[in-house]
Amino acid sequence: MEAVRTPPKIKLFTMFQLGLYQMGLGMMSVLTLGVLNRVMIKELAIPATLAASAIAVHQFMAPARLWFGQLSDAKPIAGYHRTGYVWIASGLFAIAAFLAVQVMWQLGASLQSVGWAAPTQMWLVVLGLVFALYGLTLSAGSTPFAALLVDVSEEDNRSRLVGVVWSMLMVGIVLGAILSSRLLPTEGSIPLEQLRPAVDRLFMIVPGIVCGLCILATLGVEKKYSHFATRSQDNDREDQITLGRAVRVLTASPQTGLFFSFLLLMTISLFMQDAVMESYGGQVFKMSVSETTRLNAFWGTGTLVGISSAGFAIVPRLGKTRTAKLGCVLVAACMTLLIFAGFMANPKLLQSGLFLFGLASGVTTTGALSLMLDLTAVETAGTFIGAWGLAQALARALATVMGGGALDLGKAIFPNLTLAYALVFGLQAIGMLIAVTLLNRVDVKAFHLKTKAAISTILQGELD
């Protein structure tokens, strides 16, 4: 009987190689949330609620990850359970992203010619469908990739691998912002006929680069390092968590509900500005598309610094709970600074505010997620973290829609554009402060005592 080969332990170089995939996704996020939303809201004058809702459709596709994860378990492509899905999906989401741009131009042209008549509404629906396709293709690649991270790692190096890969996501956002700003016009206001070729070129070049990064990231990794054959039935990954199961886990006990209410409110309050920040730079600060895209670099750099400083200096000194609270308060303060920058119409102050916001976001995220891992029973870790992963993805989608909706509400209430944007940032600040009050009510000891038993009861009930 042939002995089962034991794969070698993954090396640091390979961890960074895998991180190229997340770096690519970071670059793509700049295109969708950093460029398309700005063009739709400012240049095409599409209401922020509709623009944000169309973009958020791809985030609402998160439950599809369940199916794609299970599919990659059961149906290998060319003998590999993960690599083929990542490669095919990367090509498809690059095509879907370029298609979304073309539909966006048609939507804008129809709005200019006939207003919000039936043809314009039809193009809006088509745009939503294209973003749904984009979300499905992202799910088809990102979930098998996440499963690959589990397949190639072990308990003693998995957290290190996840840390490297997640940091590369932020590097991708910074690089994507810099590259996009260089490919886009630097003039403050240019005609659409001049802007369109530049945006089209951007959406051909960057997705092409990302597609190459996705292939390079996974080239040869699964063949050499994967433990799938020996432990495929032992992993309780995020892609195995059904939506109903996630809801039951998140409401398993009062302490679980309190903690996840904090995490959800924190996530929504952290990302509401995603859909409006670039248009804020364009409409209030009169910045060019190139300049507003570069704003992502300030935020991404600050986040990287915040994560590293929190992990190495703040959490060891203050502890996880106090770090999370500190981060939430700092985010609320940064929102106030961004509002003040608008009234001053000072782009440099906006850039500084975004760097500080990224710093605070890194501190908040590190504290909150470290606390979540600390409060998770080992026996149910996969279920617990998988449920949070699905809930977080849906919270990001809600944040995008709510940011656009709050901006339109602000425009309807206030005659001043700065006040309209201030409503969005003000709601984020308030949300963060409420999140702190929820975290104050979380009893760590009660969490440890009751949550494990409650989740185990749920899982046992499902088996019965």
Side-chain angles (χ1 to χ4, degrees), residues 170-213:
M170 305 311 302
V171 172
I173 291 174
V174 175
L175 292 179
I178 294 171
L179 179 59
S180 299
S181 68
R182 291 187 178 276
L183 293 172
L184 291 170
T186 56
E187 296 84 359
S189 181
I190 63 171
L192 273 178
E193 55 268 20
Q194 294 180 29
L195 178 63
R196 179 170 179 172
V199 174
D200 286 345
R201 183 173 69 251
L202 174 69
F203 273 78
M204 286 188 287
I205 293 174
V206 175
I209 293 172
V210 170
C211 191
L213 288 173

Side-chain angles (χ1 to χ4, degrees), residues 222-266:
E222 183 174 2
K223 180 179 181 179
K224 184 175 182 179
Y225 294 103
S226 178
H227 293 265
F228 179 85
T230 59
R231 65 186 192 198
S232 60
Q233 301 304 313
D234 298 330
N235 300 319
D236 199 0
R237 294 187 308 273
E238 177 183 339
D239 54 83
Q240 296 172 308
I241 307 300
T242 65
L243 189 58
R245 190 188 199 187
V247 171
R248 286 190 289 277
V249 168
L250 299 183
T251 56
S253 72
Q255 286 300 314
T256 311
L258 273 175
F259 185 65
F260 274 97
S261 295
F262 157 74
L263 287 173
L264 290 174
L265 184 58
M266 182 208 76

Side-chain angles (χ1 to χ4, degrees), residues 82 93 151 208 214 256 273 304 332:
R82 318 301 180 195
F93 74 59
D151 293 344
C214 292
T256 311
Q273 88 294 331
L304 276 173

Side-chain angles (χ1 to χ4, degrees), residues 126-144:
V126 172
L127 183 62
L129 291 174
V130 172
F131 271 112
L133 175 64
Y134 178 70
L136 287 173
T137 56
L138 281 178
S139 296
S142 60
T143 306

Side-chain angles (χ1 to χ4, degrees), residues 317-396:
R317 293 171 185 268
L318 297 183
K320 300 178 178 72
T321 303
R322 292 174 67 187
T323 298
K325 292 178 184 178
L326 173 65
C328 289
V329 173
L330 290 176
V331 168
C334 289
M335 291 297 105
T336 305
L337 180 59
L338 293 178
I339 294 171
F340 180 71
F343 285 110
M344 296 293 291
N346 186 333
K348 293 295 183 184
L349 187 57
L350 175 64
Q351 293 168 351
S352 300
L354 280 173
F355 174 79
L356 292 174
F357 170 55
L359 194 69
S361 299
V363 173
T364 304
T365 303
T366 302
L369 296 187
S370 298
L371 182 61
M372 182 188 72
L373 294 173
D374 195 44
L375 293 174
T376 302
V378 174
E379 295 83 351
T380 56
T383 299
F384 200 77
I385 295 171
W388 162 237
L390 186 57
Q392 185 195 43
L394 296 176
R396 287 286 302 272

Side-chain angles (χ1 to χ4, degrees), residues 48-85:
T49 305
L50 297 179
S53 297
I55 291 174
V57 169
H58 86 273
Q59 296 167 317
F60 279 114
M61 293 294 105
R65 294 183 298 179
L66 316 174
W67 184 75
F68 284 115
Q70 292 159 4
L71 185 66
S72 71
D73 280 343
K75 305 286 185 181
I77 297 176
Y80 296 102
H81 285 270
R82 318 301 180 195
T83 307
Y85 287 92

Side-chain angles (χ1 to χ4, degrees), residues 267-273 275 394-404:
T267 302
I268 291 172
S269 302
L270 204 56
F271 292 102
M272 275 180 65
Q273 88 294 331
L394 296 176
R396 287 286 302 272
L398 286 173
T400 303
V401 175
M402 290 171 66

